[in-house]
Amino acid sequence: MPQKVRKAVIPAAGLGTRFLPVTSAVPKPLLPVIDRPLIFYAVAEAAAAGIHEIAMVLSPGLEAVADYFSPNGPMEEALKKRGDAERLAMLHKIHSLAEVTVLEQTEPKGLGDAVLMARAFVGDETFAVILPDDLIWSDTPAIAQLAQVAEEHGGSVVAAKRVPSEAIPNLGIIDADPLGEGVHRVQGLVEKPPFEEAPSDLAIVGRYVLTSGVFDRIKHGAAGALGEIQLTDAIAAAIGQEPLHAREFEGDHIDAGTPAGLFAANIYEARRRDDMAEVIAELGLLPD
Ligand code: G1P
């Protein structure tokens, strides 16, 4: 009987050079979608799925991301003095969502290596991985949709989405047989293939439910695409040994890992928020 997913790993290392100049001083995971940093959305999605134990993997120099989840005494005092209960609740919400453990990836060796840093934290449980660049708005949290498939079929599950051909060389691509209702049995995974070699247009989006066997496969795997230790390769190494499924999730996804993507995420979020309705109308943008 597959276990319930209780723990999540959020890899948030990386220098964020695509966002220069802002990332010269501000870590990418703290870049905002309106007034919430990217990392908040990842933690909130886990919490909404009932996952409250979270390990965040950071590179040295990104301590401000860890600070975001630590109590802010002076701000708390100031809000109390002013009697600003609404903002005090916002501040408390950051800390009440989850218990966050901060781990360090000392060298930028790839996503697989970042996840391996969480091995002791995870132990031998099936766990979630949430990439904070990938924002997903959905009724049922995307990671919960994957956990449901893992509960039903056992093994590991990756989130999937059909993508245009120009996106294929930047993503993990899935070779799979459809089982119906958005679930596919995975036959192969290939990280960042040239378009001509891609087995399909079904790409991995940054949500995973993985068995703990992935850690040994990361450890013993060779470097892959871009010379990095790829999570995709370690997941693919389990094919034939344990079940692996892809879930075409229900929801709207935006890759906020580029300036244009982050801008799109801001517009998307603004169209949903009542407090942005006026400016959305002024700009001639339609509400959601
Ligand atoms: C990572 C994964 C890739 C996946 C993508 C989704 O790539 O390696 O398989 O498709 O996330 O965002 P990265 O964005 O780190 O290059």
Side-chain angles (χ1 to χ4, degrees), residues 10 19 27-33 35-45 68-69 130-135 137 207 254-258 261-262 265-266:
I10 303 183
F19 281 96
K28 187 177 72 166
L30 293 184
L31 296 180
V33 175
D35 47 13
R36 289 166 202 191
L38 286 172
I39 196 77
F40 179 93
Y41 286 84
V43 173
E45 181 179 323
Y68 180 74
F69 290 97
I130 298 179
L131 306 189
D133 281 359
D134 280 310
L135 290 174
W137 290 262
R207 300 290 182 278
I254 294 178
D255 174 3
T258 62
L262 185 64
N266 272 275

PDB file of all heavy atoms in Angstrom, residues 10 19 27-33 35-45 68-69 130-135 137 207 254-258 261-262 265-266:
ATOM      1  N   ILE A  10      12.047  21.326  -2.032  1.00  0.00           N
ATOM      2  CA  ILE A  10      11.956  22.452  -2.969  1.00  0.00           C
ATOM      3  C   ILE A  10      13.377  22.876  -3.352  1.00  0.00           C
ATOM      4  O   ILE A  10      14.058  23.535  -2.564  1.00  0.00           O
ATOM      5  CB  ILE A  10      11.167  23.635  -2.357  1.00  0.00           C
ATOM      6  CG1 ILE A  10       9.774  23.180  -1.931  1.00  0.00           C
ATOM      7  CG2 ILE A  10      11.089  24.781  -3.361  1.00  0.00           C
ATOM      8  CD1 ILE A  10       8.880  24.283  -1.390  1.00  0.00           C
ATOM      9  N   PHE A  19      17.888  36.451 -14.624  1.00  0.00           N
ATOM     10  CA  PHE A  19      17.156  37.601 -14.094  1.00  0.00           C
ATOM     11  C   PHE A  19      18.069  38.762 -13.723  1.00  0.00           C
ATOM     12  O   PHE A  19      17.660  39.657 -12.985  1.00  0.00           O
ATOM     13  CB  PHE A  19      16.323  37.193 -12.877  1.00  0.00           C
ATOM     14  CG  PHE A  19      15.051  36.504 -13.247  1.00  0.00           C
ATOM     15  CD1 PHE A  19      14.972  35.130 -13.282  1.00  0.00           C
ATOM     16  CD2 PHE A  19      13.917  37.242 -13.560  1.00  0.00           C
ATOM     17  CE1 PHE A  19      13.805  34.486 -13.623  1.00  0.00           C
ATOM     18  CE2 PHE A  19      12.726  36.610 -13.895  1.00  0.00           C
ATOM     19  CZ  PHE A  19      12.668  35.226 -13.932  1.00  0.00           C
ATOM     20  N   PRO A  27      17.797  37.082  -4.334  1.00  0.00           N
ATOM     21  CA  PRO A  27      17.717  35.693  -4.818  1.00  0.00           C
ATOM     22  C   PRO A  27      16.468  35.479  -5.670  1.00  0.00           C
ATOM     23  O   PRO A  27      15.388  35.984  -5.335  1.00  0.00           O
ATOM     24  CB  PRO A  27      17.629  34.878  -3.524  1.00  0.00           C
ATOM     25  CG  PRO A  27      18.134  35.773  -2.443  1.00  0.00           C
ATOM     26  CD  PRO A  27      17.814  37.177  -2.866  1.00  0.00           C
ATOM     27  N   LYS A  28      16.632  34.694  -6.742  1.00  0.00           N
ATOM     28  CA  LYS A  28      15.490  34.449  -7.644  1.00  0.00           C
ATOM     29  C   LYS A  28      14.245  33.931  -6.920  1.00  0.00           C
ATOM     30  O   LYS A  28      13.132  34.367  -7.240  1.00  0.00           O
ATOM     31  CB  LYS A  28      15.905  33.487  -8.767  1.00  0.00           C
ATOM     32  CG  LYS A  28      14.822  33.327  -9.823  1.00  0.00           C
ATOM     33  CD  LYS A  28      15.260  32.445 -10.970  1.00  0.00           C
ATOM     34  CE  LYS A  28      15.322  31.009 -10.537  1.00  0.00           C
ATOM     35  NZ  LYS A  28      15.421  30.077 -11.688  1.00  0.00           N
ATOM     36  N   PRO A  29      14.375  33.016  -5.938  1.00  0.00           N
ATOM     37  CA  PRO A  29      13.149  32.514  -5.284  1.00  0.00           C
ATOM     38  C   PRO A  29      12.364  33.600  -4.548  1.00  0.00           C
ATOM     39  O   PRO A  29      11.217  33.374  -4.165  1.00  0.00           O
ATOM     40  CB  PRO A  29      13.680  31.479  -4.284  1.00  0.00           C
ATOM     41  CG  PRO A  29      15.031  31.103  -4.788  1.00  0.00           C
ATOM     42  CD  PRO A  29      15.582  32.316  -5.473  1.00  0.00           C
ATOM     43  N   LEU A  30      12.999  34.783  -4.342  1.00  0.00           N
ATOM     44  CA  LEU A  30      12.272  35.862  -3.656  1.00  0.00           C
ATOM     45  C   LEU A  30      11.681  36.873  -4.637  1.00  0.00           C
ATOM     46  O   LEU A  30      11.059  37.854  -4.215  1.00  0.00           O
ATOM     47  CB  LEU A  30      13.200  36.581  -2.670  1.00  0.00           C
ATOM     48  CG  LEU A  30      13.666  35.745  -1.474  1.00  0.00           C
ATOM     49  CD1 LEU A  30      14.497  36.589  -0.520  1.00  0.00           C
ATOM     50  CD2 LEU A  30      12.475  35.130  -0.727  1.00  0.00           C
ATOM     51  N   LEU A  31      11.842  36.642  -5.930  1.00  0.00           N
ATOM     52  CA  LEU A  31      11.205  37.564  -6.888  1.00  0.00           C
ATOM     53  C   LEU A  31       9.696  37.408  -6.764  1.00  0.00           C
ATOM     54  O   LEU A  31       9.180  36.296  -6.648  1.00  0.00           O
ATOM     55  CB  LEU A  31      11.664  37.251  -8.320  1.00  0.00           C
ATOM     56  CG  LEU A  31      13.161  37.462  -8.575  1.00  0.00           C
ATOM     57  CD1 LEU A  31      13.495  37.126 -10.026  1.00  0.00           C
ATOM     58  CD2 LEU A  31      13.585  38.891  -8.253  1.00  0.00           C
ATOM     59  N   PRO A  32       8.971  38.517  -6.771  1.00  0.00           N
ATOM     60  CA  PRO A  32       7.547  38.435  -6.463  1.00  0.00           C
ATOM     61  C   PRO A  32       6.621  38.260  -7.656  1.00  0.00           C
ATOM     62  O   PRO A  32       6.888  38.737  -8.753  1.00  0.00           O
ATOM     63  CB  PRO A  32       7.271  39.787  -5.801  1.00  0.00           C
ATOM     64  CG  PRO A  32       8.238  40.717  -6.437  1.00  0.00           C
ATOM     65  CD  PRO A  32       9.451  39.909  -6.833  1.00  0.00           C
ATOM     66  N   VAL A  33       5.528  37.582  -7.402  1.00  0.00           N
ATOM     67  CA  VAL A  33       4.339  37.659  -8.250  1.00  0.00           C
ATOM     68  C   VAL A  33       3.380  38.528  -7.427  1.00  0.00           C
ATOM     69  O   VAL A  33       2.866  38.095  -6.399  1.00  0.00           O
ATOM     70  CB  VAL A  33       3.759  36.268  -8.542  1.00  0.00           C
ATOM     71  CG1 VAL A  33       2.460  36.381  -9.325  1.00  0.00           C
ATOM     72  CG2 VAL A  33       4.776  35.437  -9.307  1.00  0.00           C
ATOM     73  N   ASP A  35       2.741  40.451  -4.647  1.00  0.00           N
ATOM     74  CA  ASP A  35       3.351  40.679  -3.339  1.00  0.00           C
ATOM     75  C   ASP A  35       3.771  39.394  -2.635  1.00  0.00           C
ATOM     76  O   ASP A  35       4.025  39.397  -1.434  1.00  0.00           O
ATOM     77  CB  ASP A  35       2.378  41.482  -2.454  1.00  0.00           C
ATOM     78  CG  ASP A  35       0.972  40.909  -2.498  1.00  0.00           C
ATOM     79  OD1 ASP A  35       0.796  39.768  -3.008  1.00  0.00           O
ATOM     80  OD2 ASP A  35       0.033  41.598  -2.045  1.00  0.00           O
ATOM     81  N   ARG A  36       3.850  38.295  -3.391  1.00  0.00           N
ATOM     82  CA  ARG A  36       4.300  37.033  -2.797  1.00  0.00           C
ATOM     83  C   ARG A  36       5.475  36.483  -3.587  1.00  0.00           C
ATOM     84  O   ARG A  36       5.382  36.386  -4.811  1.00  0.00           O
ATOM     85  CB  ARG A  36       3.183  35.989  -2.861  1.00  0.00           C
ATOM     86  CG  ARG A  36       2.077  36.314  -1.910  1.00  0.00           C
ATOM     87  CD  ARG A  36       0.872  35.509  -2.212  1.00  0.00           C
ATOM     88  NE  ARG A  36      -0.254  36.217  -1.653  1.00  0.00           N
ATOM     89  CZ  ARG A  36      -1.464  35.731  -1.542  1.00  0.00           C
ATOM     90  NH1 ARG A  36      -1.719  34.534  -1.992  1.00  0.00           N
ATOM     91  NH2 ARG A  36      -2.405  36.442  -1.003  1.00  0.00           N
ATOM     92  N   PRO A  37       6.545  36.114  -2.898  1.00  0.00           N
ATOM     93  CA  PRO A  37       7.684  35.574  -3.649  1.00  0.00           C
ATOM     94  C   PRO A  37       7.388  34.202  -4.239  1.00  0.00           C
ATOM     95  O   PRO A  37       6.532  33.463  -3.729  1.00  0.00           O
ATOM     96  CB  PRO A  37       8.795  35.503  -2.604  1.00  0.00           C
ATOM     97  CG  PRO A  37       8.138  35.576  -1.292  1.00  0.00           C
ATOM     98  CD  PRO A  37       6.800  36.226  -1.466  1.00  0.00           C
ATOM     99  N   LEU A  38       8.101  33.866  -5.302  1.00  0.00           N
ATOM    100  CA  LEU A  38       7.919  32.556  -5.959  1.00  0.00           C
ATOM    101  C   LEU A  38       7.946  31.414  -4.939  1.00  0.00           C
ATOM    102  O   LEU A  38       7.138  30.487  -5.001  1.00  0.00           O
ATOM    103  CB  LEU A  38       9.027  32.328  -6.989  1.00  0.00           C
ATOM    104  CG  LEU A  38       8.926  33.133  -8.283  1.00  0.00           C
ATOM    105  CD1 LEU A  38      10.189  32.954  -9.117  1.00  0.00           C
ATOM    106  CD2 LEU A  38       7.682  32.709  -9.075  1.00  0.00           C
ATOM    107  N   ILE A  39       8.856  31.497  -3.986  1.00  0.00           N
ATOM    108  CA  ILE A  39       9.023  30.404  -3.028  1.00  0.00           C
ATOM    109  C   ILE A  39       7.759  30.229  -2.164  1.00  0.00           C
ATOM    110  O   ILE A  39       7.433  29.120  -1.749  1.00  0.00           O
ATOM    111  CB  ILE A  39      10.275  30.642  -2.149  1.00  0.00           C
ATOM    112  CG1 ILE A  39      10.693  29.379  -1.436  1.00  0.00           C
ATOM    113  CG2 ILE A  39      10.112  31.792  -1.188  1.00  0.00           C
ATOM    114  CD1 ILE A  39      11.419  28.400  -2.295  1.00  0.00           C
ATOM    115  N   PHE A  40       7.039  31.325  -1.938  1.00  0.00           N
ATOM    116  CA  PHE A  40       5.814  31.246  -1.148  1.00  0.00           C
ATOM    117  C   PHE A  40       4.783  30.370  -1.860  1.00  0.00           C
ATOM    118  O   PHE A  40       4.094  29.553  -1.242  1.00  0.00           O
ATOM    119  CB  PHE A  40       5.249  32.650  -0.906  1.00  0.00           C
ATOM    120  CG  PHE A  40       3.961  32.662  -0.113  1.00  0.00           C
ATOM    121  CD1 PHE A  40       3.970  32.806   1.257  1.00  0.00           C
ATOM    122  CD2 PHE A  40       2.728  32.524  -0.756  1.00  0.00           C
ATOM    123  CE1 PHE A  40       2.786  32.807   1.989  1.00  0.00           C
ATOM    124  CE2 PHE A  40       1.540  32.514  -0.041  1.00  0.00           C
ATOM    125  CZ  PHE A  40       1.572  32.664   1.337  1.00  0.00           C
ATOM    126  N   TYR A  41       4.673  30.539  -3.175  1.00  0.00           N
ATOM    127  CA  TYR A  41       3.684  29.757  -3.933  1.00  0.00           C
ATOM    128  C   TYR A  41       3.987  28.258  -3.829  1.00  0.00           C
ATOM    129  O   TYR A  41       3.081  27.435  -3.702  1.00  0.00           O
ATOM    130  CB  TYR A  41       3.679  30.178  -5.411  1.00  0.00           C
ATOM    131  CG  TYR A  41       3.016  31.522  -5.636  1.00  0.00           C
ATOM    132  CD1 TYR A  41       3.726  32.707  -5.478  1.00  0.00           C
ATOM    133  CD2 TYR A  41       1.675  31.616  -5.992  1.00  0.00           C
ATOM    134  CE1 TYR A  41       3.129  33.948  -5.673  1.00  0.00           C
ATOM    135  CE2 TYR A  41       1.067  32.840  -6.199  1.00  0.00           C
ATOM    136  CZ  TYR A  41       1.804  33.999  -6.031  1.00  0.00           C
ATOM    137  OH  TYR A  41       1.190  35.218  -6.223  1.00  0.00           O
ATOM    138  N   ALA A  42       5.292  27.914  -3.876  1.00  0.00           N
ATOM    139  CA  ALA A  42       5.674  26.494  -3.806  1.00  0.00           C
ATOM    140  C   ALA A  42       5.298  25.911  -2.444  1.00  0.00           C
ATOM    141  O   ALA A  42       4.720  24.816  -2.359  1.00  0.00           O
ATOM    142  CB  ALA A  42       7.173  26.352  -4.058  1.00  0.00           C
ATOM    143  N   VAL A  43       5.607  26.649  -1.387  1.00  0.00           N
ATOM    144  CA  VAL A  43       5.310  26.162  -0.027  1.00  0.00           C
ATOM    145  C   VAL A  43       3.788  26.118   0.181  1.00  0.00           C
ATOM    146  O   VAL A  43       3.262  25.164   0.762  1.00  0.00           O
ATOM    147  CB  VAL A  43       6.008  27.051   1.030  1.00  0.00           C
ATOM    148  CG1 VAL A  43       5.568  26.680   2.436  1.00  0.00           C
ATOM    149  CG2 VAL A  43       7.526  26.923   0.905  1.00  0.00           C
ATOM    150  N   ALA A  44       3.089  27.126  -0.322  1.00  0.00           N
ATOM    151  CA  ALA A  44       1.627  27.158  -0.147  1.00  0.00           C
ATOM    152  C   ALA A  44       0.972  25.992  -0.888  1.00  0.00           C
ATOM    153  O   ALA A  44      -0.004  25.406  -0.397  1.00  0.00           O
ATOM    154  CB  ALA A  44       1.075  28.498  -0.655  1.00  0.00           C
ATOM    155  N   GLU A  45       1.503  25.628  -2.054  1.00  0.00           N
ATOM    156  CA  GLU A  45       0.929  24.486  -2.790  1.00  0.00           C
ATOM    157  C   GLU A  45       1.123  23.190  -2.000  1.00  0.00           C
ATOM    158  O   GLU A  45       0.196  22.377  -1.885  1.00  0.00           O
ATOM    159  CB  GLU A  45       1.563  24.353  -4.183  1.00  0.00           C
ATOM    160  CG  GLU A  45       0.955  23.193  -4.965  1.00  0.00           C
ATOM    161  CD  GLU A  45       1.535  23.031  -6.369  1.00  0.00           C
ATOM    162  OE1 GLU A  45       1.829  24.045  -7.024  1.00  0.00           O
ATOM    163  OE2 GLU A  45       1.687  21.868  -6.796  1.00  0.00           O
ATOM    164  N   TYR A  68      13.355  34.435   4.969  1.00  0.00           N
ATOM    165  CA  TYR A  68      11.939  34.683   4.670  1.00  0.00           C
ATOM    166  C   TYR A  68      11.035  33.788   5.522  1.00  0.00           C
ATOM    167  O   TYR A  68       9.935  34.192   5.891  1.00  0.00           O
ATOM    168  CB  TYR A  68      11.680  34.440   3.175  1.00  0.00           C
ATOM    169  CG  TYR A  68      10.241  34.661   2.772  1.00  0.00           C
ATOM    170  CD1 TYR A  68       9.728  35.952   2.673  1.00  0.00           C
ATOM    171  CD2 TYR A  68       9.401  33.593   2.515  1.00  0.00           C
ATOM    172  CE1 TYR A  68       8.403  36.164   2.327  1.00  0.00           C
ATOM    173  CE2 TYR A  68       8.073  33.796   2.164  1.00  0.00           C
ATOM    174  CZ  TYR A  68       7.584  35.078   2.074  1.00  0.00           C
ATOM    175  OH  TYR A  68       6.275  35.283   1.738  1.00  0.00           O
ATOM    176  N   PHE A  69      11.540  32.582   5.848  1.00  0.00           N
ATOM    177  CA  PHE A  69      10.719  31.649   6.632  1.00  0.00           C
ATOM    178  C   PHE A  69      11.057  31.696   8.125  1.00  0.00           C
ATOM    179  O   PHE A  69      10.547  30.895   8.895  1.00  0.00           O
ATOM    180  CB  PHE A  69      10.877  30.220   6.080  1.00  0.00           C
ATOM    181  CG  PHE A  69      10.229  30.081   4.727  1.00  0.00           C
ATOM    182  CD1 PHE A  69      10.969  30.183   3.567  1.00  0.00           C
ATOM    183  CD2 PHE A  69       8.854  29.906   4.631  1.00  0.00           C
ATOM    184  CE1 PHE A  69      10.364  30.105   2.325  1.00  0.00           C
ATOM    185  CE2 PHE A  69       8.236  29.817   3.384  1.00  0.00           C
ATOM    186  CZ  PHE A  69       8.994  29.915   2.240  1.00  0.00           C
ATOM    187  N   ILE A 130       8.924  20.020  -5.682  1.00  0.00           N
ATOM    188  CA  ILE A 130       8.229  21.158  -6.300  1.00  0.00           C
ATOM    189  C   ILE A 130       9.272  22.164  -6.774  1.00  0.00           C
ATOM    190  O   ILE A 130      10.070  22.658  -5.967  1.00  0.00           O
ATOM    191  CB  ILE A 130       7.273  21.832  -5.284  1.00  0.00           C
ATOM    192  CG1 ILE A 130       6.200  20.841  -4.834  1.00  0.00           C
ATOM    193  CG2 ILE A 130       6.638  23.093  -5.879  1.00  0.00           C
ATOM    194  CD1 ILE A 130       5.211  21.399  -3.819  1.00  0.00           C
ATOM    195  N   LEU A 131       9.303  22.443  -8.064  1.00  0.00           N
ATOM    196  CA  LEU A 131      10.231  23.457  -8.587  1.00  0.00           C
ATOM    197  C   LEU A 131       9.521  24.813  -8.572  1.00  0.00           C
ATOM    198  O   LEU A 131       8.481  24.975  -9.232  1.00  0.00           O
ATOM    199  CB  LEU A 131      10.680  23.112 -10.014  1.00  0.00           C
ATOM    200  CG  LEU A 131      11.283  21.716 -10.240  1.00  0.00           C
ATOM    201  CD1 LEU A 131      11.883  21.627 -11.652  1.00  0.00           C
ATOM    202  CD2 LEU A 131      12.341  21.386  -9.193  1.00  0.00           C
ATOM    203  N   PRO A 132      10.059  25.774  -7.816  1.00  0.00           N
ATOM    204  CA  PRO A 132       9.321  27.037  -7.627  1.00  0.00           C
ATOM    205  C   PRO A 132       9.153  27.888  -8.877  1.00  0.00           C
ATOM    206  O   PRO A 132       8.268  28.735  -8.911  1.00  0.00           O
ATOM    207  CB  PRO A 132      10.132  27.772  -6.548  1.00  0.00           C
ATOM    208  CG  PRO A 132      11.420  27.065  -6.423  1.00  0.00           C
ATOM    209  CD  PRO A 132      11.278  25.697  -7.001  1.00  0.00           C
ATOM    210  N   ASP A 133       9.970  27.653  -9.921  1.00  0.00           N
ATOM    211  CA  ASP A 133       9.784  28.410 -11.177  1.00  0.00           C
ATOM    212  C   ASP A 133       8.468  28.061 -11.857  1.00  0.00           C
ATOM    213  O   ASP A 133       7.913  28.864 -12.606  1.00  0.00           O
ATOM    214  CB  ASP A 133      10.880  28.052 -12.183  1.00  0.00           C
ATOM    215  CG  ASP A 133      12.190  28.756 -11.897  1.00  0.00           C
ATOM    216  OD1 ASP A 133      12.245  29.528 -10.927  1.00  0.00           O
ATOM    217  OD2 ASP A 133      13.150  28.512 -12.654  1.00  0.00           O
ATOM    218  N   ASP A 134       8.016  26.822 -11.663  1.00  0.00           N
ATOM    219  CA  ASP A 134       6.791  26.373 -12.332  1.00  0.00           C
ATOM    220  C   ASP A 134       5.589  26.698 -11.453  1.00  0.00           C
ATOM    221  O   ASP A 134       5.377  26.068 -10.412  1.00  0.00           O
ATOM    222  CB  ASP A 134       6.850  24.858 -12.587  1.00  0.00           C
ATOM    223  CG  ASP A 134       7.685  24.514 -13.809  1.00  0.00           C
ATOM    224  OD1 ASP A 134       7.456  25.119 -14.869  1.00  0.00           O
ATOM    225  OD2 ASP A 134       8.570  23.646 -13.695  1.00  0.00           O
ATOM    226  N   LEU A 135       4.818  27.696 -11.868  1.00  0.00           N
ATOM    227  CA  LEU A 135       3.624  28.075 -11.102  1.00  0.00           C
ATOM    228  C   LEU A 135       2.411  27.396 -11.714  1.00  0.00           C
ATOM    229  O   LEU A 135       2.252  27.379 -12.941  1.00  0.00           O
ATOM    230  CB  LEU A 135       3.431  29.592 -11.157  1.00  0.00           C
ATOM    231  CG  LEU A 135       4.467  30.413 -10.380  1.00  0.00           C
ATOM    232  CD1 LEU A 135       4.250  31.896 -10.644  1.00  0.00           C
ATOM    233  CD2 LEU A 135       4.385  30.139  -8.887  1.00  0.00           C
ATOM    234  N   TRP A 137      -1.842  27.114 -11.200  1.00  0.00           N
ATOM    235  CA  TRP A 137      -3.088  27.504 -10.538  1.00  0.00           C
ATOM    236  C   TRP A 137      -4.121  26.415 -10.855  1.00  0.00           C
ATOM    237  O   TRP A 137      -4.389  26.143 -12.032  1.00  0.00           O
ATOM    238  CB  TRP A 137      -3.600  28.837 -11.080  1.00  0.00           C
ATOM    239  CG  TRP A 137      -2.771  30.025 -10.702  1.00  0.00           C
ATOM    240  CD1 TRP A 137      -3.007  30.894  -9.672  1.00  0.00           C
ATOM    241  CD2 TRP A 137      -1.592  30.519 -11.368  1.00  0.00           C
ATOM    242  NE1 TRP A 137      -2.052  31.883  -9.648  1.00  0.00           N
ATOM    243  CE2 TRP A 137      -1.164  31.684 -10.670  1.00  0.00           C
ATOM    244  CE3 TRP A 137      -0.831  30.094 -12.463  1.00  0.00           C
ATOM    245  CZ2 TRP A 137      -0.047  32.420 -11.045  1.00  0.00           C
ATOM    246  CZ3 TRP A 137       0.298  30.825 -12.828  1.00  0.00           C
ATOM    247  CH2 TRP A 137       0.668  31.970 -12.115  1.00  0.00           C
ATOM    248  N   ARG A 207       6.861  19.240 -11.029  1.00  0.00           N
ATOM    249  CA  ARG A 207       6.203  18.576  -9.892  1.00  0.00           C
ATOM    250  C   ARG A 207       6.475  17.088 -10.024  1.00  0.00           C
ATOM    251  O   ARG A 207       6.275  16.506 -11.111  1.00  0.00           O
ATOM    252  CB  ARG A 207       4.668  18.767  -9.925  1.00  0.00           C
ATOM    253  CG  ARG A 207       4.192  20.189  -9.863  1.00  0.00           C
ATOM    254  CD  ARG A 207       4.438  20.822  -8.501  1.00  0.00           C
ATOM    255  NE  ARG A 207       3.914  22.172  -8.458  1.00  0.00           N
ATOM    256  CZ  ARG A 207       4.545  23.252  -8.933  1.00  0.00           C
ATOM    257  NH1 ARG A 207       5.733  23.123  -9.497  1.00  0.00           N
ATOM    258  NH2 ARG A 207       4.000  24.442  -8.850  1.00  0.00           N
ATOM    259  N   ILE A 254       2.372  28.391 -15.666  1.00  0.00           N
ATOM    260  CA  ILE A 254       3.274  29.376 -16.273  1.00  0.00           C
ATOM    261  C   ILE A 254       4.678  29.104 -15.759  1.00  0.00           C
ATOM    262  O   ILE A 254       4.888  28.950 -14.548  1.00  0.00           O
ATOM    263  CB  ILE A 254       2.853  30.830 -15.923  1.00  0.00           C
ATOM    264  CG1 ILE A 254       1.499  31.163 -16.559  1.00  0.00           C
ATOM    265  CG2 ILE A 254       3.922  31.830 -16.392  1.00  0.00           C
ATOM    266  CD1 ILE A 254       0.950  32.548 -16.241  1.00  0.00           C
ATOM    267  N   ASP A 255       5.639  29.019 -16.675  1.00  0.00           N
ATOM    268  CA  ASP A 255       7.044  28.902 -16.287  1.00  0.00           C
ATOM    269  C   ASP A 255       7.551  30.308 -16.002  1.00  0.00           C
ATOM    270  O   ASP A 255       7.797  31.085 -16.920  1.00  0.00           O
ATOM    271  CB  ASP A 255       7.842  28.234 -17.414  1.00  0.00           C
ATOM    272  CG  ASP A 255       9.343  28.218 -17.114  1.00  0.00           C
ATOM    273  OD1 ASP A 255       9.748  28.662 -16.013  1.00  0.00           O
ATOM    274  OD2 ASP A 255      10.103  27.765 -17.987  1.00  0.00           O
ATOM    275  N   ALA A 256       7.686  30.612 -14.716  1.00  0.00           N
ATOM    276  CA  ALA A 256       8.114  31.955 -14.307  1.00  0.00           C
ATOM    277  C   ALA A 256       9.636  32.047 -14.193  1.00  0.00           C
ATOM    278  O   ALA A 256      10.157  32.954 -13.544  1.00  0.00           O
ATOM    279  CB  ALA A 256       7.445  32.326 -12.980  1.00  0.00           C
ATOM    280  N   GLY A 257      10.340  31.140 -14.839  1.00  0.00           N
ATOM    281  CA  GLY A 257      11.798  31.086 -14.752  1.00  0.00           C
ATOM    282  C   GLY A 257      12.526  31.998 -15.723  1.00  0.00           C
ATOM    283  O   GLY A 257      13.745  31.924 -15.847  1.00  0.00           O
ATOM    284  N   THR A 258      11.779  32.842 -16.424  1.00  0.00           N
ATOM    285  CA  THR A 258      12.394  33.860 -17.291  1.00  0.00           C
ATOM    286  C   THR A 258      11.693  35.187 -16.981  1.00  0.00           C
ATOM    287  O   THR A 258      10.566  35.188 -16.461  1.00  0.00           O
ATOM    288  CB  THR A 258      12.154  33.558 -18.787  1.00  0.00           C
ATOM    289  OG1 THR A 258      10.731  33.594 -19.019  1.00  0.00           O
ATOM    290  CG2 THR A 258      12.698  32.201 -19.194  1.00  0.00           C
ATOM    291  N   GLY A 261       8.276  35.156 -18.475  1.00  0.00           N
ATOM    292  CA  GLY A 261       7.385  34.240 -17.767  1.00  0.00           C
ATOM    293  C   GLY A 261       6.926  34.825 -16.437  1.00  0.00           C
ATOM    294  O   GLY A 261       5.755  34.706 -16.062  1.00  0.00           O
ATOM    295  N   LEU A 262       7.839  35.464 -15.734  1.00  0.00           N
ATOM    296  CA  LEU A 262       7.469  36.069 -14.443  1.00  0.00           C
ATOM    297  C   LEU A 262       6.481  37.215 -14.665  1.00  0.00           C
ATOM    298  O   LEU A 262       5.518  37.384 -13.904  1.00  0.00           O
ATOM    299  CB  LEU A 262       8.721  36.579 -13.711  1.00  0.00           C
ATOM    300  CG  LEU A 262       8.467  37.110 -12.306  1.00  0.00           C
ATOM    301  CD1 LEU A 262       7.972  36.008 -11.367  1.00  0.00           C
ATOM    302  CD2 LEU A 262       9.726  37.760 -11.722  1.00  0.00           C
ATOM    303  N   ALA A 265       3.153  35.723 -15.285  1.00  0.00           N
ATOM    304  CA  ALA A 265       2.569  35.226 -14.031  1.00  0.00           C
ATOM    305  C   ALA A 265       1.951  36.371 -13.230  1.00  0.00           C
ATOM    306  O   ALA A 265       0.889  36.218 -12.618  1.00  0.00           O
ATOM    307  CB  ALA A 265       3.648  34.524 -13.200  1.00  0.00           C
ATOM    308  N   ASN A 266       2.611  37.530 -13.260  1.00  0.00           N
ATOM    309  CA  ASN A 266       2.058  38.697 -12.563  1.00  0.00           C
ATOM    310  C   ASN A 266       0.728  39.137 -13.162  1.00  0.00           C
ATOM    311  O   ASN A 266      -0.221  39.446 -12.455  1.00  0.00           O
ATOM    312  CB  ASN A 266       3.071  39.854 -12.589  1.00  0.00           C
ATOM    313  CG  ASN A 266       4.031  39.784 -11.422  1.00  0.00           C
ATOM    314  OD1 ASN A 266       3.741  40.269 -10.340  1.00  0.00           O
ATOM    315  ND2 ASN A 266       5.168  39.131 -11.632  1.00  0.00           N
TER     316      ASN A 266
END
